[in-house]
Amino acid sequence: MMSYNSWLQCIRGCDQRYSIYDVVYRCEQCGGLLDVEHDIEALKARSAASWIKLFDQRIRTNEWPYGSGVWGKKEWVCPQVANENVVSMYEGHTNCFWAERLGKKIGVQGLWVKLCGNSHTGSFKDLGMTVLVSVVKQMIADGKPIQAVACASTGDTSAALAAYCAAAGIPSIVFLPKGKVSTAQLVQPIASGALVLALDTDFDGCMEIVQEVTADNTIYLANSMNSLRMEGQKTVSVEMVQQFDWEVPDWIVIPVGNLGNVSALGKGFLMMKELGLINKLPGIACAQTEKANPLYLSYLTGFKEYRPVTAQKTLASAIQIGHPVSYERAVKALQAFNGVVEQVSEDELANAAARADRTGMYCCPHTGVALAVLFKLIERGDVGPSDRVIVISTAHGLKFTDFKVGYHDRVLKEVVARYDNPPLELPADYRTVKEAITRELERRQEGRKDDGHSSDA
Ligand SMILES: *Cc1c(COP(=O)(O)O)cnc(C)c1O
Ligand SMILES: [Zn+2]
């Protein structure tokens, strides 16, 4: 492990390098974002077959910290951190659910859903946060004057940051847009003991303030502008291919907001290709809502134009972002993958989530956005019946109880619930209960053709 190395470098190609332990978030020459770069020649000294063998051997091992889905790929992620400074909850290795029944209904044979929300804090954000907080722990061990780690969040980043910092005994500060995150997301950092600041603004407003606060170098910035997180998140690409016995799917559909995760996804695939573990790339489809669609609008211009938007309120609250920090990174990735971007309405995302729930899932609204986009791509013929598709499910549905309850109570704005299933309230009387069961089972038998109320579902 000693021979592997990584550093920060400008994504626009300026040649100044920074240490991953430097407190610097932008290129000092041009202001561009920084990416973590690896000594690829050193990594190439090991054959693809040998990497595959190593990664497979480490799955769930007890040898610290390699049993984590992220740290099992430590050489590719963050080789310098000492193992005793790794802060990990054995994140990653989330299940990839074969959504056979939903796939059949929508006309793709091979549909999988990568359940990144089946993780310690209930979202994929754990994958990146383990790397960032480990680097901070290493910096503190090395005597750097860091008082706290801070982030702006639409809910899941703050939950992950607060939990990993709590595990490491490092103070954290989270900036949340007041009233715009779910109850579960709000209570997570509170429970972890973070300093929780609910600001009267939206995510983009919180992002501005946190950047000002972290200009003081003793407060370290944990937003995905900080590319260390992407190193952890990119392992999801390796993991999906690993779960496919090292074959590459045809399509990956991913809900996007600040555009860090899709950049990481692309980075993971490009690294596998460069190191010879795979020989083709998947198509990538980015999913946005009509309420917060700056990437979609830019895509319509062939990425020639980009204008931030004011994000409107959406059920997919974690992607209610109008001015994505990683726009430039994401466009670079999408151009390498022939990426597509599509948007959906509130009605489409909520019904897509509910339809998938009827086949055994429990989708968060963002996963609903990705599924609704997939439905469109299939309808348009962009995704064919024999394609193998993985939808990235970014968070656990249980974090979004208000969304689920609101759907089944039919009170969500701009949504006509086609798969609602409210409980029957009955007197405690055997005959009434028995009749209700008979009636309902018959009705459901008829409805089974489409799993919804209306025949066009
Ligand atoms: C953060 C988040 C996203 C968006 O990821 P970006 O990296 O900001 O594009 C999507 N879904 C959920 C549930 C998230 O928490
Ligand atoms: Zn630069």
Side-chain angles (χ1 to χ4, degrees):
M1 183 140 308
M2 294 306 290
S3 56
Y4 301 115
N5 190 21
S6 68
W7 58 88
L8 301 173
Q9 200 160 351
C10 175
I11 68 165
R12 295 178 188 157
C14 303
D15 34 83
Q16 167 86 43
R17 289 180 182 185
Y18 307 89
S19 157
I20 61 160
Y21 301 122
D22 284 341
V23 184
V24 53
Y25 314 108
R26 284 191 178 277
C27 171
E28 284 167 357
Q29 287 164 45
C30 76
L33 294 168
L34 302 172
D35 261 354
V36 175
E37 297 287 345
H38 290 264
D39 181 351
I40 288 289
E41 290 315 311
L43 294 168
K44 274 185 180 162
R46 185 166 198 150
S47 71
S50 166
W51 282 120
I52 286 175
K53 193 164 163 231
L54 181 69
F55 293 163
D56 282 347
Q57 270 169 1
R58 284 175 174 170
I59 292 177
R60 293 293 185 207
T61 175
N62 279 328
E63 191 195 340
W64 178 266
Y66 303 106
S68 148
V70 172
W71 297 101
K73 283 106 190 163
K74 187 180 183 206
E75 296 83 352
W76 289 29
V77 169
C78 191
Q80 297 107 307
V81 168
N83 284 353
E84 72 261 24
N85 287 320
V86 167
V87 183
S88 168
M89 310 211 201
Y90 271 33
E91 49 291 310
H93 291 311
T94 54
N95 48 322
C96 204
F97 176 97
W98 182 30
E100 185 188 13
R101 197 157 160 246
L102 182 64
K104 276 199 180 122
K105 285 177 190 300
I106 62 175
V108 274
Q109 284 216 319
L111 173 62
W112 281 263
V113 180
K114 176 68 171 161
L115 294 170
C116 298
N118 288 358
S119 183
H120 184 68
T121 71
S123 85
F124 76 83
K125 299 294 200 294
D126 291 349
L127 299 175
M129 218 47 95
T130 180
V131 177
L132 184 137
V133 175
S134 299
V135 168
V136 172
K137 192 172 173 199
Q138 180 74 57
M139 288 159 81
I140 292 172
D142 294 343
K144 285 236 173 178
I146 292 184
Q147 294 186 73
V149 187
C151 75
S153 176
T154 53
D156 290 328
T157 298
S158 49
L161 177 67
Y164 279 85
C165 280
I170 298 169
S172 64
I173 309 170
V174 309
F175 294 74
L176 295 168
K178 194 172 149 199
K180 295 188 178 72
V181 306
S182 79
T183 310
Q185 289 171 323
L186 174 62
V187 82
Q188 283 182 294
I190 290 175
S192 301
L195 172 55
V196 179
L197 306 171
L199 304 191
D200 203 3
T201 178
D202 57 6
F203 169 80
D204 298 291
C206 288
M207 193 65 224
E208 271 177 44
I209 305 252
V210 80
Q211 290 193 53
E212 284 179 58
V213 168
T214 54
D216 166 358
N217 275 354
T218 68
I219 300 180
Y220 190 73
L221 177 68
N223 278 98
S224 57
M225 195 177 151
N226 185 324
S227 54
L228 293 170
R229 280 178 49 202
M230 246 159 278
E231 294 310 287
Q233 288 173 205
K234 82 184 181 198
T235 62
V236 79
S237 310
V238 186
E239 208 172 278
M240 286 188 297
V241 173
Q242 194 168 20
Q243 284 168 318
F244 267 34
D245 293 329
W246 300 97
E247 281 178 27
V248 178
D250 298 300
W251 281 96
I252 294 177
V253 189
I254 180 172
V256 301
N258 221 6
L259 303 179
N261 206 26
V262 66
S263 306
L265 182 79
K267 204 172 177 201
F269 275 104
L270 291 173
M271 201 159 169
M272 278 188 284
K273 188 147 180 274
E274 190 165 13
L275 292 171
L277 280 73
I278 57 173
N279 52 26
K280 69 165 210 172
L281 296 174
I284 292 183
C286 293
Q288 293 208 300
T289 83
E290 291 168 1
K291 306 285 185 183
N293 60 357
L295 186 70
Y296 175 73
L297 295 177
S298 174
Y299 171 71
L300 293 182
T301 71
F303 297 124
K304 281 188 193 69
E305 281 172 47
Y306 165 67
R307 260 183 234 112
V309 302
T310 301
Q312 307 299 309
K313 190 171 168 51
T314 167
L315 294 164
S317 50
I319 56 175
Q320 188 179 325
I321 295 174
H323 188 17
V325 162
S326 289
Y327 170 80
E328 221 176 300
R329 275 187 186 123
V331 168
K332 247 176 89 178
L334 290 174
Q335 283 166 340
F337 287 76
N338 246 327
V340 299
V341 187
E342 188 49 81
Q343 64 171 4
V344 297
S345 67
E346 298 294 285
D347 186 74
E348 287 167 329
L349 79 88
N351 280 304
R355 190 177 183 190
D357 287 357
R358 286 286 181 100
T359 65
M361 281 181 251
Y362 193 74
C363 294
C364 79
H366 322 89
T367 308
V369 173
L371 286 168
V373 161
L374 174 62
F375 298 171
K376 286 192 176 177
L377 296 180
I378 292 169
E379 223 161 81
R380 275 212 306 256
D382 290 353
V383 171
S386 58
D387 282 342
R388 305 220 289 175
V389 182
I390 302 182
V391 169
I392 307 254
S393 175
T394 44
H396 201 293
L398 284 171
K399 281 194 168 200
F400 299 89
T401 302
D402 292 349
F403 164 67
K404 293 285 184 211
V405 172
Y407 182 87
H408 292 283
D409 278 349
R410 296 200 210 181
V411 298
L412 297 183
K413 282 206 188 87
E414 300 176 36
V415 174
V416 180
R418 281 152 68 193
Y419 305 91
D420 63 317
N421 182 32
L424 287 186
E425 294 182 3
L426 300 172
D429 169 63
Y430 170 74
R431 283 185 60 99
T432 320
V433 168
K434 184 75 188 155
E435 274 166 26
I437 291 174
T438 308
R439 190 175 65 242
E440 277 302 308
L441 288 183
E442 261 169 32
R443 193 177 70 85
R444 280 159 195 245
Q445 191 62 40
E446 281 159 26
R448 196 159 290 164
K449 281 173 237 113
D450 54 58
D451 281 4
H453 295 309
S454 59
S455 53
D456 66 337

